[in-house]
Amino acid sequence: MSDIRVRFAPSPTGYVHIGSLRTALYNYLFAKGQGGKYILRIEDTDRSRYVEGAIENLIESMEWAGVTHDEGVFIEDDKIVQKGDYGPYVQSERLDIYNEYIEKLIEKGHAYYCFCTKERIDKIREEQKSQGKIPRYDGFCRSIDIEEAKKRIAAGEKYTIRLKLPAAKDVKFHDIVRGDITINTRDMDDQVLMKSDGFPTYHFAVVVDDHLMEITHIVRGDEWLPSTPKHICLYEAFGWEPPKYVHLPTVLNKDKKKLSKRQGDVAVGDFKEKGYLPEGLVNYLALVGWSPDTTKEIFTMDELIDEFSFDRVSKTGGVFDKDKLNWVNGQHIKELDSKIVTDLAIPYLKDANYITEEDVENRYDWIQKIVETVQESLSYMKEITDKVDIFFKDKMDPEDDKALEMIKGEQVPELLNAFKEELEGIDEVDEEFANSIFKVLKKKTGIKGKNLFMPVRVALSGQLHGPEMTNIILILGKQNILNRINYVENNIL
């Protein structure tokens, strides 16, 4: 068997959809697991949909996610470059190649010039729809003699080039996920191969490119499944052996509909911006449509490469569940060194105006203590601004009726007064003070259990539950604690 070669071949039409990342990921995992090559090719023949900067965004997103390619299009020194022995890897730079191969199809009688206008084709299709037929090209130009066609072209007539499908032929192929599939050419169209602007259609370019780049497996979304018989016909027309096909289930939302921008975040950049770890996003995405042969759910990229196989890819769509993503990403955050998490958190804390660059330079240990305090509860990094707001507010009102009830207990004035006395006897809060204060207060007041701990927690954080109290005391420091106790005494009790 020849070496495995797969490709991810997106169009530069905007942001990178989360479903595109999963397609790229499955290509990557398969190639790496088989010791093969993973290629990034840019399919930009539809010039009307081209978006400036989309190629750069695509490559940066893939590199951030760790789904890196061996050949194709790269960014070096802020420039797009191409590397590999099968280039160019950008379709718009391959027009001479397509022209060469379209001529071969015409010479063999497998393709023909079509002079039908858009108006005529639209009219035919409307008539077919009204008669309950499948709308498709009626073959009006199939019988035009090649010499006549060339004269009409020389005279300036606009034209396309279409594939001449064999009549009433069963087109058969095997899909690794879907199994054996048969479609008769009666249900297919003489598809356009070359458009009137001189650019190839996706269907023509993809077959030529995949053959010349020696792609062994086509791994793509199942929206391309209906197009595959057309591609098989092209391979047969050229006398080429088709690659193996793998059509992946669609990424769905919770309503079992195709994931789209209307339901919220769907771009890789959206998740990057919110501070999801690439390891967490990739780990979760791998599980959307594929199940490992184990109950394990948390994987590194190397572990995914070892485990991944197409025989465990589902035939049905995989649901993209944000809650499950958050859980998976949270597990990866928990495993990180707190210094790494602190560095990831700093930009979000700055944006919230909780810290300054001066704090980063002079009080890094204090910032790290804040991050360590909430690290285990984080689902993604941007969430940290909500988790740590208790440390940065000027005052803390009880967050609910139960917290208010607890802070209004009859023992609370004595308790808070004793706490203030202990604070006034020290220069600054340290580890020893934070670890021993509740024992001291218990001995001093006789108050114990939740009547001791809970009112102090509510006074300092406004909450009945939350981070470790020793950490809260250390992070707030003497003056902030005194300010919060004074606020409770003057405004709540």
Side-chain angles (χ1 to χ4, degrees):
M1 183 182 174
S2 61
D3 292 338
I4 298 295
R5 288 177 60 82
V6 299
R7 74 346 183 235
F8 175 56
S11 298
T13 55
Y15 64 85
V16 182
H17 190 279
I18 209 76
S20 297
L21 176 57
R22 193 199 60 175
T23 298
L25 174 64
Y26 283 11
N27 273 281
Y28 174 85
L29 295 176
F30 176 65
K32 295 305 168 188
Q34 300 293 318
K37 297 289 186 184
Y38 165 57
I39 295 102
L40 176 65
R41 186 174 73 221
I42 302 299
E43 299 191 343
D44 64 340
T45 57
D46 188 347
R47 305 307 291 174
S48 65
R49 298 178 64 222
Y50 180 82
V51 173
E52 195 71 37
I55 295 175
E56 291 87 344
N57 174 254
L58 166 73
I59 295 171
E60 287 165 4
S61 294
M62 293 299 164
E63 287 182 350
W64 172 79
V67 182
T68 53
H69 48 289
D70 303 297
E71 288 176 32
V73 183
F74 298 82
I75 297 177
E76 289 186 357
D77 299 323
D78 296 325
K79 293 180 181 176
I80 295 174
V81 298
Q82 299 182 47
K83 294 181 181 179
D85 298 330
Y86 297 82
Y89 294 91
V90 178
Q91 284 187 337
S92 59
E93 298 177 21
R94 297 172 62 83
L95 298 185
D96 289 346
I97 296 171
Y98 305 134
N99 287 330
E100 175 190 344
Y101 280 92
I102 201 70
E103 288 299 325
K104 290 182 179 181
L105 281 184
I106 291 171
E107 286 171 14
K108 290 181 178 181
H110 294 305
Y112 61 93
Y113 296 102
C114 175
F115 300 94
C116 292
T117 63
K118 182 179 183 299
E119 289 73 22
R120 180 186 182 275
I121 291 171
D122 288 345
K123 183 180 178 184
I124 293 294
R125 286 180 172 163
E126 284 303 317
E127 289 175 359
Q128 290 169 334
K129 282 182 185 177
S130 67
Q131 295 167 13
K133 297 178 181 177
I134 298 172
R136 60 184 189 143
Y137 181 61
D138 62 354
F140 184 75
C141 293
R142 277 176 72 114
S143 59
I144 295 176
D145 179 77
I146 187 78
E147 294 304 321
E148 181 192 340
K150 288 184 176 179
K151 285 178 186 176
R152 291 174 68 171
I153 292 168
E157 275 196 61
K158 281 193 172 183
Y159 67 93
T160 59
I161 300 175
R162 291 181 178 272
L163 175 67
K164 186 179 285 187
L165 285 172
K169 178 183 177 181
D170 281 339
V171 181
K172 300 179 180 181
F173 66 98
H174 179 78
D175 184 273
I176 291 174
V177 170
R178 302 294 183 130
D180 293 326
I181 296 171
T182 302
I183 297 179
N184 194 278
T185 54
R186 283 190 298 264
D187 300 319
M188 295 165 60
D189 206 354
D190 278 4
Q191 67 198 32
V192 173
L193 304 179
M194 295 291 281
K195 296 176 284 187
S196 58
D197 61 4
F199 278 82
T201 60
Y202 165 82
H203 301 293
F204 181 59
V206 74
V207 168
V208 173
D209 290 346
D210 287 337
H211 174 73
L212 295 181
M213 293 181 186
E214 298 183 11
I215 302 302
T216 60
H217 294 71
I218 306 294
V219 184
R220 60 190 179 189
D222 61 6
E223 67 269 22
W224 295 110
L225 190 63
S227 301
T228 304
K230 300 178 181 182
H231 302 166
I232 297 292
C233 286
L234 269 171
Y235 277 102
E236 291 177 352
F238 279 119
W240 297 337
E241 182 182 349
K244 292 181 170 61
Y245 285 95
V246 185
H247 287 92
L248 305 174
T250 305
V251 178
L252 306 173
N253 61 26
K254 278 188 174 182
D255 298 327
K256 302 292 179 73
K257 295 178 181 176
K258 191 171 182 179
L259 194 67
S260 74
K261 195 77 174 172
R262 288 188 298 276
Q263 285 95 33
D265 297 331
V266 297
V268 174
D270 294 335
F271 294 94
K272 181 181 178 184
E273 187 180 318
K274 287 188 173 178
Y276 284 86
L277 302 180
E279 300 88 346
L281 183 60
V282 161
N283 181 168
Y284 176 67
L285 262 186
L287 302 174
V288 181
W290 168 76
S291 57
D293 190 16
T294 172
T295 56
K296 181 178 175 178
E297 292 183 284
I298 305 303
F299 294 90
T300 65
M301 184 71 90
D302 286 342
E303 289 169 337
L304 286 172
I305 289 168
D306 289 340
E307 287 281 341
F308 185 79
S309 65
F310 288 127
D311 60 1
R312 298 190 67 85
V313 170
S314 172
K315 291 182 175 65
T316 57
V319 174
F320 188 85
D321 183 340
K322 189 75 74 68
D323 293 335
K324 187 62 182 287
L325 165 63
N326 288 345
W327 179 82
V328 169
N329 197 64
Q331 300 305 304
H332 283 272
I333 291 174
K334 284 180 186 177
E335 294 301 312
L336 286 180
D337 181 87
S338 66
K339 186 179 185 307
I340 295 173
V341 182
T342 301
D343 291 341
L344 291 171
I346 283 171
Y348 298 99
L349 296 175
K350 281 184 179 178
D351 286 347
N353 294 319
Y354 286 161
I355 62 172
T356 64
E357 185 57 36
E358 187 178 345
D359 290 325
V360 177
E361 292 174 5
N362 300 321
R363 306 179 70 196
Y364 186 90
D365 290 346
W366 173 72
I367 298 170
Q368 187 170 350
K369 174 62 75 174
I370 293 173
V371 173
E372 285 175 347
T373 301
V374 299
Q375 180 172 342
E376 293 225 344
S377 69
L378 290 174
S379 300
Y380 52 92
M381 294 312 305
K382 192 172 183 179
E383 199 177 40
I384 196 164
T385 57
D386 294 328
K387 300 284 187 182
V388 303
D389 65 344
I390 62 170
F391 302 121
F392 297 97
K393 289 181 178 178
D394 293 331
K395 59 184 183 179
M396 295 306 304
D397 286 309
E399 67 175 2
D400 56 33
D401 290 343
K402 287 185 178 179
L404 182 62
E405 182 183 345
M406 182 58 70
I407 200 69
K408 286 193 169 185
E410 61 181 6
Q411 85 286 11
V412 173
E414 180 189 1
L415 177 61
L416 294 184
N417 190 58
F419 197 174
K420 282 171 66 175
E421 287 177 356
E422 292 303 312
L423 283 166
E424 287 161 355
I426 61 171
D427 292 328
E428 190 49 84
V429 168
D430 57 18
E431 293 270 0
E432 182 183 354
F433 180 90
N435 287 325
S436 63
I437 184 60
F438 284 105
K439 287 182 182 178
V440 171
L441 293 177
K442 179 181 176 183
K443 186 175 182 181
K444 194 170 186 175
T445 64
I447 303 167
K448 57 187 178 180
K450 72 175 186 177
N451 287 332
L452 170 65
F453 290 101
M454 289 300 189
V456 174
R457 177 179 285 283
V458 174
L460 299 192
S461 71
Q463 304 168 349
L464 286 170
H465 308 284
E468 286 287 331
M469 279 304 302
T470 52
N471 285 5
I472 292 176
I473 291 167
L474 275 170
I475 291 164
L476 288 176
K478 176 180 175 179
Q479 193 55 53
N480 282 326
I481 294 172
L482 284 171
N483 291 344
R484 293 186 182 196
I485 290 175
N486 287 334
Y487 177 79
V488 169
E489 288 178 335
N490 295 329
N491 296 279
I492 298 175
L493 297 182

